[in-house]
Amino acid sequence: MKFFKKTQIKNENNFDNFPPIGALLVSKMVVDQNMKPGFLYREKRTRPEDSGWRVFTGFESEEYNDNPDNIGIYNPSTILKIDPSLKDILLKGVGSVYEREKDDSDWYKVTDFEFEDDFITTHKLTGNWTFEINNLFERSIEKDGTLYYTTGDKSIRLIIWNSEENKEQLYEEYKQETDNRDETKSKTLDKFEFSDNEISKIGYLIEEHDEHRTYQVLFGFSIIDKEVLQATFYFDEKEYLDWAINTWKNIKLKE
């Protein structure tokens, strides 16, 4: 459903300093008929001002949803004033799907919803490196040349450092950095090594926070002669650690 051409986003204040995640596409049953949401999902956004969230009561017919006049574009504050229970859910990332049985029921995560963009792709990072990532991640390049991938609640920053040192020298340098890092601001929660004959891989896990959330950060260094690829993974939920580790492991030399 793509309705941005027909409707302008309303200028409203955020609900309780809610983060500016972008606009929501919402069934008019929620706003005009004052019905509580019962089903919502977050797909890959269509443009910068789009959050990707699609919000419904669960009573809409397919014919109803196919009519653009039945879908409105709203800031999160508008929908949160109708249903504050969505406050935490709206911070979940692309690929999230939630449903509930009644207005006063708890929300639960839906796991069998199919997204059009939900498939694995291989990205060529440079002449040497490739890695695999779900197509739900949005890709951008930051001012310093860092590659940035994000779904909202899972993010990756990738940057390559060049050196005159060989793999063994670089490995020792980064191992010393990992083992002796300053822990006054953030304690090392765990250390990792996934080295093989081609690539030395070492890293560590810490926890950080901002005004909205606490999140974990995995620093993963992939080392070859004269090059270090630094992958920094940010994720809100501890269960995403396996995702971060597997994505790091899939950073490979181009064949």
Side-chain angles (χ1 to χ4, degrees):
M1 293 177 294
K2 318 295 182 186
F3 303 114
F4 281 89
K5 293 183 179 179
K6 293 190 174 183
T7 312
Q8 296 296 318
I9 298 172
K10 298 178 181 179
N11 183 19
E12 299 175 349
N13 294 325
N14 283 327
F15 177 86
D16 194 22
N17 298 317
F18 194 78
I21 62 171
L24 286 62
L25 291 185
V26 185
S27 164
K28 291 287 185 70
M29 285 186 181
V30 174
V31 179
D32 294 351
Q33 299 181 36
N34 201 31
M35 296 177 66
K36 290 289 184 71
F39 176 75
L40 69 161
Y41 63 90
R42 191 175 192 181
E43 64 182 358
K44 198 170 183 177
R45 62 182 181 172
T46 58
R47 55 181 63 195
E49 61 267 34
D50 176 22
S51 71
W53 278 113
R54 314 308 181 217
V55 184
F56 306 91
T57 67
F59 294 100
E60 295 85 358
S61 65
E62 185 175 349
E63 182 180 5
Y64 181 94
N65 288 335
D66 286 342
N67 184 350
D69 294 333
N70 293 330
I71 305 296
I73 302 176
Y74 302 93
N75 283 339
S77 58
T78 302
I79 307 307
L80 287 170
K81 289 170 186 174
I82 295 172
D83 190 349
S85 73
L86 293 175
K87 184 177 179 181
D88 291 333
I89 290 177
L90 292 183
L91 293 178
K92 303 297 183 182
V94 174
S96 298
V97 187
Y98 284 86
E99 190 172 27
R100 63 182 175 186
E101 295 180 358
K102 299 178 182 178
D103 288 353
D104 57 352
S105 298
D106 292 336
W107 290 97
Y108 64 89
K109 186 181 294 187
V110 177
T111 58
D112 59 355
F113 188 87
E114 295 184 3
F115 287 91
E116 180 180 350
D117 292 302
D118 186 6
F119 55 89
I120 301 298
T121 61
T122 299
H123 286 222
K124 296 179 181 179
L125 301 176
T126 66
N128 286 331
W129 300 98
T130 67
F131 88 125
E132 296 179 347
I133 191 168
N134 195 297
N135 193 56
L136 290 171
F137 279 79
E138 182 179 89
R139 179 182 182 273
S140 61
I141 301 177
E142 299 182 330
K143 290 182 179 180
D144 64 355
T146 301
L147 279 175
Y148 182 62
Y149 293 83
T150 188
T151 60
D153 58 353
K154 299 192 293 289
S155 302
I156 313 170
R157 283 191 165 89
L158 297 165
I159 190 165
I160 294 174
W161 307 101
N162 294 314
S163 172
E164 294 301 318
E165 298 177 322
N166 63 31
K167 184 173 70 171
E168 289 73 21
Q169 292 170 319
L170 287 169
Y171 171 83
E172 288 301 325
E173 178 182 329
Y174 278 85
K175 189 174 188 309
Q176 288 295 320
E177 178 182 320
T178 298
D179 290 343
N180 301 310
R181 60 177 299 271
D182 182 0
E183 300 196 7
T184 55
K185 292 185 177 180
S186 57
K187 183 179 178 180
T188 300
L189 302 179
D190 206 347
K191 298 178 184 177
F192 306 92
E193 177 159 355
F194 305 110
S195 299
D196 57 31
N197 291 332
E198 283 191 316
I199 308 172
S200 293
K201 292 189 176 184
I202 56 174
Y204 59 91
L205 179 70
I206 64 171
E207 187 171 84
E208 296 182 344
H209 65 273
D210 58 27
E211 60 180 317
H212 300 297
R213 65 185 80 180
T214 298
Y215 55 93
Q216 295 196 332
V217 186
L218 171 64
F219 290 88
F221 304 100
S222 300
I223 302 167
I224 59 174
D225 286 341
K226 299 185 177 181
E227 240 177 48
V228 178
L229 190 156
Q230 177 181 320
T232 310
F233 301 85
Y234 307 84
F235 46 97
D236 290 355
E237 300 181 24
K238 293 180 180 179
E239 65 189 62
Y240 292 152
L241 176 59
D242 287 342
W243 157 79
I245 289 174
N246 289 331
T247 304
W248 178 27
K249 285 181 176 179
N250 281 323
I251 294 176
K252 300 176 181 177
L253 290 174
K254 184 179 176 182
E255 296 180 357

